[in-house]
Amino acid sequence: MPDSDTARATPKRVAIFLFDEVEVLDFAGPFEVFAVTGQRPGPAPFEVVTVAAQEGPVRARNGLIVSPGYTFATLPPPEIIVIPGGYGTRPLVHDEGVIAWIQKMAGGAELTLSVCTGALLLAKAGLLEGKGATTHWGALDLLRELGPATRVVENTRFVDSGTVITSAGISAGIDMSLHVVARLLGLEQARETARYMEYRWVE
């Protein structure tokens, strides 16, 4: 049973990676879940921040402009890292600086999460070897290509492989994030968050 009092004493920092052509709900869904968790019954158990490779605005899918709070150089160490997806992941698979940063962050984090094609970046970083993982249904073959030692799971909302949790496309990141809340703070807290969001969560 999670120790809620201990978990709330020091908020866990959740860092969400933003990049050009990131899918909006991929990052906004987990942001909302972690940001609103626990704020009715007491202090927030999570500090949610955004991070990009460098300073300046990020142009998400369909033209949404977002201003990340941190850069790779200024981000304080996070306990949880979220790697969303979107068409912008395709060029990032070949970006050695981004892949090295993901490897470094994952090495120090308690949990590394991906949404949609964010799993491609985790595969490229070698974080899915020997693990089960999923991604958007349209990118399953690409995940197999990038992670030949990964057990790719189809027709599921998310796959919990311990320190690495991957979700299917777009809205599935909300289900994954609620699962993480339940895992860290208990099922009742996750249910309360889902009720607040008016999200029909299938546990």
Side-chain angles (χ1 to χ4, degrees), residues 135-159:
T135 186
H136 189 281
W137 58 265
L140 291 166
D141 287 342
L142 186 53
L143 180 58
R144 291 187 180 95
E145 178 183 329
L146 289 171
T150 301
R151 179 174 57 86
V152 176
V153 183
E154 300 186 31
N155 301 314
T156 188
R157 297 293 279 174
F158 60 86
V159 176

Side-chain angles (χ1 to χ4, degrees), residues 148-191:
T150 301
R151 179 174 57 86
V152 176
V153 183
E154 300 186 31
N155 301 314
T156 188
R157 297 293 279 174
F158 60 86
V159 176
D160 186 334
S161 293
T163 58
V164 178
I165 307 176
T166 56
S167 82
I170 311 177
S171 66
I174 299 175
D175 298 77
M176 175 188 67
S177 300
L178 288 166
H179 168 76
V180 172
V181 171
R183 180 171 145 177
L184 297 178
L185 300 175
L187 186 56
E188 284 309 310
Q189 178 61 85
R191 287 171 175 165

Side-chain angles (χ1 to χ4, degrees), residues 59-72:
R59 182 178 291 273
R61 290 283 292 158
N62 301 308
L64 178 68
I65 303 296
V66 185
S67 181
Y70 292 94
T71 67
F72 286 178

Side-chain angles (χ1 to χ4, degrees), residues 10 14 17-18 22 27-28 42-43 63 67 70 82 85 92 101 125 134 136-137 139 145 160-161 169 171 184 195 202:
T10 304
V14 180
F17 178 38
L18 300 182
V22 61
F27 73 83
S67 181
Y70 292 94
V82 181
L92 292 183
W101 178 80
T134 194
H136 189 281
W137 58 265
E145 178 183 329
D160 186 334
S161 293
S171 66
L184 297 178
R195 282 197 302 270
V202 180

